[in-house]
Amino acid sequence: MSTSIKSVMALEILDSRGNPTVRAGVELEDGSWGWANAPSGASTGVHEAHELRDGDPARYRGKGVLQAVEHVRGPLAKAVIGLPARDFQQVDRAMIEADGTENKKRLGANGILAVSLASARAAAASAGAPLWRWLWPQKKKLLPVPMMNILNGGAHAKNNVDIQEFMIIPRGVGSFGEGLRRCAEVYHALGAILGEKGMGSGVGDEGGFAPNLSSDEEAMDLILRAIGRAGYRPGEEIVLGLDAAASEWMKEGGIYRTPKGGRVFDREELCSYWEGLAGRYPIVSLEDGAAEDDWEGWKLLTRRLGKKLQLVGDDLFVTNLRRLERGMEEGAGNAILIKPNQIGTLSETLEAVKLAQERSWGVVMSHRSGETEDAVIGDLAVATGCGQIKAGAPCRSERVAKYNRLIEIEFSDPTRRFAP
Ligand code: PGA
Ligand code: ZN
């Protein structure tokens, strides 16, 4: 049956922060159908593909996406109708050419990504396969380890904490479901501890608790206590990861200033700060420990900590093959965060993953702080066998949707295997 694209539709829907985003639907000649929603960041990297917003203050405080929706219905639909959805690279190329800019500024990466993913889902539906298996038809299935963000700060929370994400990562578990259970238990233990201390139970954009704290150390002390209270050995059964999102901190000339606490570091001091924390706490992964354009800072960080820690480039690489290549050449980082909407198409996303995997770099599939019920990153994590996923706390349905999708995938086939 033909997987030719017959029609493309789009809607302006809402994300988990109540801001508009794009949903696209793609219908094929054989009657198969796929849909996808674009997510949206808050600590957005300057090198990301362009998220097109209307800027009309009379609607959604300027955040409407009606232009992006119109571009899907108009020029993007025109570019892809008649193409075989099964050849998703060709579909993506057609949209990239229709846009014609370096960063998808003209038609909007939000609309382009939604069509790209919806079209791939339609092709998978046509083949009678779930997206993950359609993308990766090999036998073995590798479920990712959750890097679960249970305490939120930075741009994701209205508290006084400068580090954006404090994550727990299970070790040595036999299945995705088992790792998820442990993390959820620690999350509840943390909630109970914060409750006892009268520290409130408000959560940030990714569902992690968002208390006011005296220091980054206090956050990790509380998490270690929660791990213990849940019955696990910190540092052995559960380890820690941080996302500093330090692009939000960078000021001029290699000087960092934390926006909430007002602490000031030069590059060496910042590296020493991370080194100190990694010496005192069971941290295995540090994301955006330096800012997106601070290649010097990144190289220094990698020289000093690259053997000990997974150093994940999020704003630094923005899921962009060229920036990843530069990082590899210059020795900046040793792992990449993968957010499909940073680059704007499925095929470009998979290219970045492929290069990282070929060079044995770490790969972490990731949600955005603004999300929807679309759990496509669960499929992409398994399809790429990337081994790690960030999908937030076990709280807020847009986060839980990703975990539930992974449970579904884990139990959909008896040949499952868990990432080490
Ligand atoms: P964002 O945050 O979606 O707000 O960019 C997620 C992250 O920094 O990893
Ligand atoms: Zn990040």
Side-chain angles (χ1 to χ4, degrees):
M1 279 283 246
S2 167
T3 64
S4 288
I5 295 176
K6 182 179 173 192
S7 68
V8 179
M9 58 77 81
L11 293 171
E12 181 186 63
I13 61 163
L14 290 185
D15 74 10
S16 54
R17 282 190 280 248
N19 293 324
T21 191
V22 182
R23 167 175 296 180
V26 169
E27 189 192 7
L28 309 186
E29 288 291 352
D30 70 3
S32 308
W33 190 81
W35 65 280
N37 301 338
S40 176
S43 60
T44 309
V46 296
H47 301 289
E48 293 192 20
H50 187 73
E51 180 182 70
L52 187 63
R53 295 210 177 264
D54 299 335
D56 171 4
R59 295 187 75 253
Y60 287 117
R61 302 176 303 141
K63 290 180 180 285
V65 293
L66 292 180
Q67 288 174 35
V69 163
E70 282 311 313
H71 291 161
V72 172
R73 293 174 179 161
L76 291 170
K78 187 158 167 268
V80 302
I81 284 174
L83 297 182
R86 116 176 79 67
D87 185 352
F88 66 92
Q89 290 96 340
Q90 190 186 344
V91 171
D92 290 348
R93 264 197 315 274
M95 291 194 285
I96 291 167
E97 278 165 26
D99 174 79
T101 66
E102 188 63 32
N103 65 349
K104 305 183 177 66
K105 198 173 166 62
R106 199 172 75 82
L107 300 179
N110 35 359
I112 293 174
L113 178 74
V115 175
S116 174
L117 293 170
S119 168
R121 269 198 177 125
S126 169
L131 182 62
W132 67 270
R133 184 172 288 293
W134 181 72
L135 284 168
W136 196 56
Q138 297 97 312
K139 265 249 156 334
K140 267 211 183 116
K141 173 166 61 173
L142 188 70
L143 271 289
V145 175
M147 301 178 73
M148 188 182 275
N149 173 14
I150 61 170
L151 202 151
N152 295 185
H156 294 170
K158 291 188 174 65
N159 59 1
N160 66 352
V161 177
D162 275 307
I163 291 180
Q164 182 178 281
E165 301 172 17
F166 293 84
M167 291 170 273
I168 51 173
I169 306 165
R171 271 277 164 88
V173 281
S175 69
F176 173 78
E178 173 71 10
L180 181 65
R181 178 175 67 80
R182 290 187 182 187
C183 290
E185 288 165 359
V186 173
Y187 178 75
H188 290 296
L190 180 62
I193 290 169
L194 293 172
E196 286 157 18
K197 289 176 161 290
M199 293 170 104
S201 60
V203 298
D205 290 353
E206 297 186 349
F209 297 109
N212 282 315
L213 299 173
S214 60
S215 65
D216 300 332
E217 282 87 343
E218 187 182 7
M220 285 186 284
D221 289 335
L222 288 165
I223 291 173
L224 294 188
R225 273 184 57 194
I227 294 171
R229 185 177 297 190
Y232 301 109
R233 290 189 300 277
E236 288 171 50
E237 289 169 306
I238 299 194
V239 292
L240 304 182
L242 300 177
D243 180 2
S247 302
E248 304 284 314
W249 301 5
M250 184 70 175
K251 290 292 162 217
E252 295 320 69
I255 299 297
Y256 287 80
R257 185 185 171 84
T258 68
K260 295 177 179 178
R263 283 173 295 163
V264 176
F265 303 96
D266 66 19
R267 290 186 178 113
E268 290 281 355
E269 288 164 346
L270 187 62
C271 288
S272 299
Y273 184 64
W274 300 132
E275 198 165 28
L277 288 184
R280 293 194 299 283
Y281 294 93
I283 297 168
V284 298
S285 182
L286 170 63
E287 180 179 329
D288 283 356
E292 58 204 342
D293 282 316
D294 187 14
W295 292 93
E296 285 313 309
W298 266 99
K299 286 190 272 184
L300 182 67
L301 187 64
T302 308
R303 278 201 301 277
R304 285 182 56 178
L305 285 171
K307 293 236 159 25
K308 181 177 160 72
L309 294 183
Q310 170 172 267
L311 297 173
V312 187
D314 170 9
D315 293 348
L316 180 71
F317 297 135
V318 291
T319 315
N320 181 315
L321 194 68
R322 304 277 160 273
R323 290 185 67 88
L324 177 61
E325 278 167 350
R326 179 169 174 192
M328 288 173 166
E329 274 160 29
E330 298 194 16
N334 57 27
I336 182 171
L337 197 77
I338 298 293
K339 292 167 165 171
N341 82 323
Q342 284 181 323
I343 189 71
T345 61
L346 175 61
S347 43
E348 290 166 289
T349 301
L350 297 181
E351 278 170 23
V353 174
K354 186 162 172 278
L355 176 66
Q357 289 178 329
E358 280 167 5
R359 305 284 185 86
S360 303
W361 274 42
V363 178
V364 182
M365 193 59 60
S366 175
H367 63 166
R368 298 306 304 247
S369 53
E371 268 292 339
T372 70
E373 65 276 25
D374 190 338
V376 71
I377 58 163
D379 283 71
L380 297 186
V382 180
T384 57
C386 69
Q388 304 176 81
I389 190 165
K390 290 207 319 181
C395 170
R396 303 181 58 133
S397 294
E398 77 280 5
R399 313 295 146 189
V400 171
K402 279 64 168 175
Y403 295 124
N404 289 347
R405 175 64 183 146
L406 285 163
I407 298 257
E408 209 169 66
I409 295 175
E410 177 157 61
F411 284 94
S412 69
D413 184 323
T415 60
R416 62 185 181 269
R417 186 164 80 80
F418 193 53

